[in-house]
Amino acid sequence: MSDRTLNSQAISEITAKEKELTGEKAPVAGGPTAQAQKHANEPITPEVISDITQGEKKVTGKDVPVSGGPAALAQSIASSKNPPIPEHTGRLDSHTISAITNAEKELTGLDHPVKGGPTAQAQSHANEPINRETLHDINVGEKLLTGGPRVKGGPTAVAQSERGKSQTQAQ
């Protein structure tokens, strides 16, 4: 089908869509985010889209996926040919969370984010503005990894940089 994978950026976007549907601050157990996380870093196949659809049906109570919802997003990612050009939004959007994930991977040497780390903290604020609260939470996640102060060029610095770029772009 496609060589697109269900990476942290895609899962963050699915989480944001789920939050739009539910109005909740966190993903729902068994919902589309939970289903997507089961397939983290796997290619987006029809089976993966089906699982995300089932999670979406659980949170909506409807028999069909919602137009523009998490399942539609997964389908769109799977069929897209070109990655979108990032716009500096000043929000914890998929581009920013992906950059935070990359900084975290450089810090840990692992090929995946750490539970409770900066990526997880950023995902919990998916599509929210980058502000004092979100930066604090990302920093808490970074300290979990470093055991001390934040690192120059680390995940918190990435988020701060994105915030600054959005303010410069807006002027």
Side-chain angles (χ1 to χ4, degrees), residues 6-129:
L6 202 52
N7 59 21
S8 61
Q9 176 178 343
I11 293 172
S12 294
E13 291 177 23
I14 289 167
T15 301
K17 292 290 184 185
E18 179 177 342
K19 287 179 178 181
E20 288 174 19
L21 284 179
T22 65
E24 299 290 326
K25 286 190 172 219
V28 175
T33 300
Q35 296 302 321
Q37 287 172 333
K38 288 182 187 176
H39 298 284
N41 298 314
E42 293 178 13
I44 301 176
T45 63
E47 176 191 350
V48 170
I49 293 169
S50 176
D51 287 352
I52 293 168
T53 301
Q54 293 307 314
E56 183 175 326
K57 288 179 182 179
K58 179 179 179 175
V59 300
T60 64
K62 297 181 179 178
D63 289 336
V64 294
V66 175
S67 176
L73 175 68
Q75 179 69 52
S76 172
I77 292 168
S79 62
S80 74
K81 291 181 174 51
N82 298 321
I85 297 169
E87 181 181 323
H88 301 293
T89 62
R91 296 177 128 0
L92 286 168
D93 58 15
S94 59
H95 170 73
T96 305
I97 292 174
S98 180
I100 290 167
T101 302
N102 289 336
E104 179 176 341
K105 288 178 182 179
E106 285 183 31
L107 197 58
T108 64
L110 301 172
D111 64 351
H112 59 279
V114 174
K115 184 176 182 177
T119 299
Q121 297 295 332
Q123 286 175 332
S124 74
H125 293 287
N127 284 333
E128 292 180 18

